[in-house]
């Protein structure tokens, strides 16, 4: 609709510089304080020196991109099973969402942790290194997730372990979602993903250099500045609820691109 079209609703010429937190800062208390502050005031922040090697992230991006460039029939081999009621699998572009709006996006969704929750049926066989790249990334990701949970917990005045336990402890499901936005002839009229908050506890986003993420702050939509090798952290609905609203889940959307 007109009141949602990105050309009409984006504050142009202003890039939102969301808080950037250096996780290698030797003063752990400072890191905790910054994460808690960003989660209260913004619901989104970027982390650098997070411990996931650049090559692990590059490999994750490479195999994801290669999967989406495969012929449609190959992608359909891991398609969602509508009858099975699972969210896992490949979903094609322009599916209707609840309000009858269509997001300009293809996606792939599957669990990556814990091992007991993983169903390899939904993991692409092609490219051949897909599984290895994802498992390598998952291992490193767990450490980042744990550190975020500890900081968020201490930031609420709780013991370091309490927030993670409240969210499910060692049974927390880690889901991977790859969003692939095909070139769009009218990016001024379309959105990749319509405005929403994430239903997760925490979303750890690996962006690329093509601008897409926008955040709603102070009654305006802003582009979020891309920082190479940073991870973008979204507070999700579950953390907002677990923290009794002290931490805010971030309202965001994704724009698309002609090229």
């Amino acid at each position: 609709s007109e009141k949602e079209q990105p050309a009409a609703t984006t504050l142009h010429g202003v890039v939102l510089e969301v808080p950037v937190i250096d996780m290698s800062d030797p003063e752990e208390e400072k890191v905790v304080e910054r994460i808690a502050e960003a989660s209260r005031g913004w619901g989104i922040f970027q982390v650098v020196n997070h411990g996931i090697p650049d090559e692990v992230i590059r490999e994750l991006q490479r195999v994801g991109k290669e999967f989406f460039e495969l012929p449609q029939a190959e992608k359909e081999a891991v398609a969602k099973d509508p009858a099975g009621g699972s969210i896992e699998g490949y979903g094609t572009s322009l599916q209707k969402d609840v309000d009858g709006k269509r997001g300009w996006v293809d996606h792939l969704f599957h669990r990556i942790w814990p091992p007991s929750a993983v169903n390899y049926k939904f993991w692409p066989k092609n490219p051949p290194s897909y599984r290895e790249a994802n498992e390598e990334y998952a291992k490193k990701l767990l450490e980042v997730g744990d550190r975020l949970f500890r900081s968020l917990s201490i930031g609420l005045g709780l013991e370091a372990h309490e927030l993670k336990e409240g969210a499910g402890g060692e049974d927390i499901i880690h889901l991977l979602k790859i969003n692939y936005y095909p070139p769009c002839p009218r990016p001024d009229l379309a959105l990749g993903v319509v405005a929403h908050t994430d239903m997760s506890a925490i979303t750890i986003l690996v962006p690329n250099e093509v601008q897409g993420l926008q955040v709603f702050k102070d009654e305006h939509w802003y582009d979020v500045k891309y920082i190479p090798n940073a991870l973008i952290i979204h507070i999700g609905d579950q953390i907002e609820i677990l923290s009794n609203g002290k931490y805010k889940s971030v309202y965001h959307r994704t724009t698309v691109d002609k090229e």
Side-chain angles (χ1 to χ4, degrees):
S1 69
E2 277 182 25
K3 65 176 190 293
E4 293 169 294
Q5 287 169 11
T9 56
T10 302
L11 201 61
H12 295 284
V14 185
V15 173
L16 198 61
E17 300 205 16
V18 304
V20 178
I21 297 165
D22 183 351
M23 290 186 87
S24 67
D25 190 324
E27 291 189 56
E28 186 61 28
E29 281 176 17
K30 263 192 189 164
V31 177
V32 167
E33 199 179 305
R34 286 178 187 140
I35 287 175
E37 200 178 309
S39 303
R40 284 194 182 93
W42 290 74
I44 183 174
F45 52 95
Q46 305 200 49
V47 294
V48 293
N49 300 320
H50 40 67
I52 304 184
D54 295 352
E55 60 274 16
V56 171
I57 288 180
R58 273 201 302 273
E59 194 54 13
L60 177 83
Q61 290 176 314
R62 181 186 70 79
V63 296
K65 189 165 182 284
E66 282 182 17
F67 167 75
F68 281 100
E69 287 165 354
L70 291 172
Q72 192 63 23
E74 271 197 71
K75 291 185 283 197
E76 296 287 352
V78 291
K80 286 184 179 186
D81 171 15
S86 168
I87 59 166
E88 292 188 273
Y90 166 73
T92 62
S93 176
L94 303 180
Q95 287 178 321
K96 271 197 153 75
D97 79 358
V98 248
D99 301 327
K101 295 170 195 151
R102 293 161 180 265
W104 195 272
V105 65
D106 288 3
H107 61 262
L108 176 67
F109 227 148
H110 60 71
R111 297 186 174 102
I112 56 171
W113 194 264
S116 59
V118 170
N119 184 348
Y120 289 112
K121 183 176 102 171
F122 296 110
W123 289 47
K125 306 278 181 290
N126 233 342
S129 50
Y130 183 89
R131 177 169 168 175
E132 190 191 342
N134 275 270
E135 289 181 339
E136 200 48 45
Y137 175 73
K139 268 188 279 189
K140 303 285 185 192
L141 183 74
L142 293 172
E143 295 165 24
V144 176
D146 280 351
R147 197 159 168 210
L148 290 169
F149 266 120
R150 284 199 302 274
S151 297
L152 289 165
S153 197
I154 295 166
L156 290 170
L158 301 172
E159 296 292 322
H161 61 91
E162 287 188 85
L163 198 63
K164 183 176 176 181
E165 272 177 26
E170 293 311 310
D171 297 326
I172 288 178
I173 301 282
H174 292 63
L175 277 165
L176 178 93
K177 185 183 187 197
I178 306 177
N179 283 338
Y180 178 82
Y181 305 97
C184 177
R186 291 297 305 270
D188 53 324
L189 304 180
L191 286 167
V193 178
V194 296
H196 66 289
T197 57
D198 291 342
M199 60 175 79
S200 58
I202 299 172
T203 297
I204 299 177
L205 183 69
V206 175
N208 67 10
E209 68 291 346
V210 183
Q211 175 60 49
L213 179 65
Q214 292 193 332
V215 162
F216 193 68
K217 186 149 173 66
D218 307 325
E219 303 305 308
H220 292 289
W221 285 103
Y222 294 90
D223 289 328
V224 174
K225 186 181 178 186
Y226 166 72
I227 296 173
N229 306 322
L231 298 172
I232 299 177
I233 313 298
H234 293 179
I235 296 299
D237 296 341
Q238 293 182 50
I239 291 287
E240 178 167 324
I241 293 162
L242 274 168
S243 69
N244 285 336
K246 288 191 170 73
Y247 297 142
K248 301 283 180 268
S249 64
V250 63
Y251 195 51
H252 59 287
R253 68 183 186 185
T254 314
T255 58
V256 287
D257 192 277
K258 240 183 183 155
E259 311 304 322

